[in-house]
Amino acid sequence: MPQKKRYFLVTVLCLTFLAANAQEESIYNSESVSLTNVWKRIADVSPKLRAVEAAELSPNGMYIVSGSKFGYAVMLWDVLDGSLLWKNYHESEVECVTFSPDNKRIATGGEDYLVKIWDVETGKLLKDLDNKSGLDGITWSHDGKIIAAGTESGLVNLWDANTFELIKSVKVGSTVNSIQFTKDDAHFIAGGNYQNKEKNSNKVIYTGFAKLVNVASGEVVKDYGDHKASVKSVRISDNGKWVATASFDRSARMFDFESGKLLNQFQEEEKIEAVEFTRDSQFLVTGGHSMTVNFYRTEDYKLATAYPSPRTEYLHFSQDGRLLVTAHEDSGLLELHLFMSDTQNKDGFYHRIASEQLNNKDLKKDKNE
């Protein structure tokens, strides 16, 4: 084998080894969370009420897309400085937003019964996908092949993300508020509500659901618990072990993914709108009508940190786990937060990680001596 080729292969193997070890070893405090606000922006401009219904970080961590309730706007933001890159509109409330895995397109859903596909770079509208009711939840499959949108008629509509042909519609309830694919894209989890009228009063009673659905067959293969009110958000932890739900019954629930067993119920004083796991799966995070974003340890289910916040409508983490974007009701605010590592608080930890990551000449010299 030529010398240069051998050196290249050894270098690649070494870098791969270091990257793998860096990913396995968390640089964050496992007991509590330290966040700092990077920037705040007004992401709903309307004459009276304002609210940001949804926001998501792009897979490459460079952009944020937000959808406004009263201003009907889809906005693309630069993560680095919070500058507005472009703004476009639905004809009514924007309920849900998501990026394609390749960072090139955005799908949004609104109360105008449309899923709109946008070009990230230009903001150009690429396609309108018609629905028979308003949209409440939307997501893109990990392989980029399917767009899934949940409707207020209880359907999950699955489209081919390249041809925009409707693949199938799956009926799962009365309204679908939230959807997420499993990592292998073989299943998706949907959360929402059933709406039934009382016989005597004709009053509508809302109960919630979270269901795991087989993509190929459209069959429900698992139900996660009973919820006394609408489920607003469902999420699968990155380690694949757990499912979390956020409900208007003022609780978040954590289930075992495989068995469906309820592991813990986190009761709060106000309605919960959003739930997420941190990327390292150390914390379950909730946001809603209380004035905090709450971090619960998944190890012992204890509240680790209550981070002050306006009423929170949506939570989303960057893929590297370092950034958190929050969308807010009542205020129309969009906020970006940064996780602070605790490497300085561990004896020798910072310098060991730094020496693995840095390419300084003096460090190379020390390693060779």
Side-chain angles (χ1 to χ4, degrees), residues 63-82:
Y63 306 109
I64 293 171
V65 61
S66 65
S68 63
K69 183 180 181 73
F70 298 100
Y72 306 163
V74 177
M75 300 183 184
L76 186 73
W77 307 85
D78 190 310
V79 163
L80 296 180
D81 60 5

Side-chain angles (χ1 to χ4, degrees), residues 45-224:
V45 180
S46 63
K48 295 182 181 178
L49 298 176
R50 297 179 178 184
V52 184
E53 285 291 286
E56 186 174 295
L57 282 142
S58 61
N60 63 9
M62 297 304 295
Y63 306 109
I64 293 171
V65 61
S66 65
S68 63
K69 183 180 181 73
F70 298 100
Y72 306 163
V74 177
M75 300 183 184
L76 186 73
W77 307 85
D78 190 310
V79 163
L80 296 180
D81 60 5
S83 58
L84 181 62
L85 300 176
W86 54 256
K87 177 170 62 173
N88 280 306
Y89 296 91
H90 277 253
E91 293 182 3
S92 58
E93 177 181 349
V94 183
E95 285 277 6
C96 46
V97 299
T98 190
F99 280 95
S100 62
D102 64 3
N103 306 285
K104 293 181 178 180
R105 292 179 290 171
I106 291 168
T108 61
E111 291 293 343
D112 52 7
Y113 294 13
L114 293 175
V115 167
K116 289 179 176 287
I117 311 299
W118 311 89
D119 180 82
V120 168
E121 185 176 354
T122 65
K124 179 183 177 182
L125 179 63
L126 302 176
K127 189 71 176 179
D128 281 331
L129 302 175
D130 291 318
N131 296 263
K132 295 181 180 179
S133 60
L135 287 304
D136 266 1
I138 198 164
T139 193
W140 218 295
S141 63
H142 296 87
D143 62 11
K145 295 181 179 180
I146 300 174
I147 300 167
T151 75
E152 293 175 354
S153 57
L155 295 174
V156 176
N157 291 327
L158 302 174
W159 285 278
D160 185 299
N162 295 313
T163 67
F164 302 119
E165 294 295 321
L166 183 66
I167 300 169
K168 63 165 61 78
S169 295
V170 182
K171 180 74 170 179
V172 291
S174 299
T175 293
V176 180
N177 293 316
S178 182
I179 319 167
Q180 186 182 18
F181 282 95
T182 54
K183 283 190 175 181
D184 61 3
D185 293 321
H187 298 84
F188 65 81
I189 188 168
N193 64 55
Y194 301 110
Q195 300 166 26
N196 296 293
K197 291 183 178 180
E198 284 185 335
K199 292 182 180 179
N200 297 329
S201 67
N202 223 25
K203 178 182 176 182
V204 177
I205 303 298
Y206 291 79
T207 55
F209 68 82
K211 299 180 180 183
L212 188 68
V213 180
N214 183 283
V215 172
S217 68
E219 295 179 357
V220 175
V221 297
K222 196 175 275 81
D223 284 285
Y224 294 96

Side-chain angles (χ1 to χ4, degrees), residues 8 14 22 30 123 125 135 141 169 176 178 186 211 220 229 236 246 280 311 316 320 325 333 347:
F8 173 76
C14 289
S30 60
L125 179 63
L135 287 304
S141 63
S169 295
V176 180
S178 182
K211 299 180 180 183
V220 175
I236 304 168
D280 59 10
R311 283 173 54 157
H316 188 251
D320 65 5
V325 63
L333 278 180
D347 186 33

Side-chain angles (χ1 to χ4, degrees), residues 225-239:
D226 296 318
H227 298 78
K228 297 178 181 178
S230 182
V231 170
K232 305 297 288 184
S233 179
V234 288
R235 290 292 183 269
I236 304 168
S237 59
D238 275 29
N239 63 12

Side-chain angles (χ1 to χ4, degrees), residues 224-225 237 239-245 252-266 277 284 297-301:
Y224 294 96
S237 59
N239 63 12
K241 293 181 179 180
W242 308 307
V243 168
T245 62
R253 293 172 172 84
M254 184 170 152
F255 300 89
D256 180 84
F257 176 83
E258 290 294 339
S259 69
K261 178 184 176 182
L262 177 65
L263 300 175
N264 198 67
Q265 182 167 322
F266 307 88
F277 289 96
L284 174 64
R297 287 192 296 269
T298 55
E299 182 180 14
D300 59 11
Y301 313 127

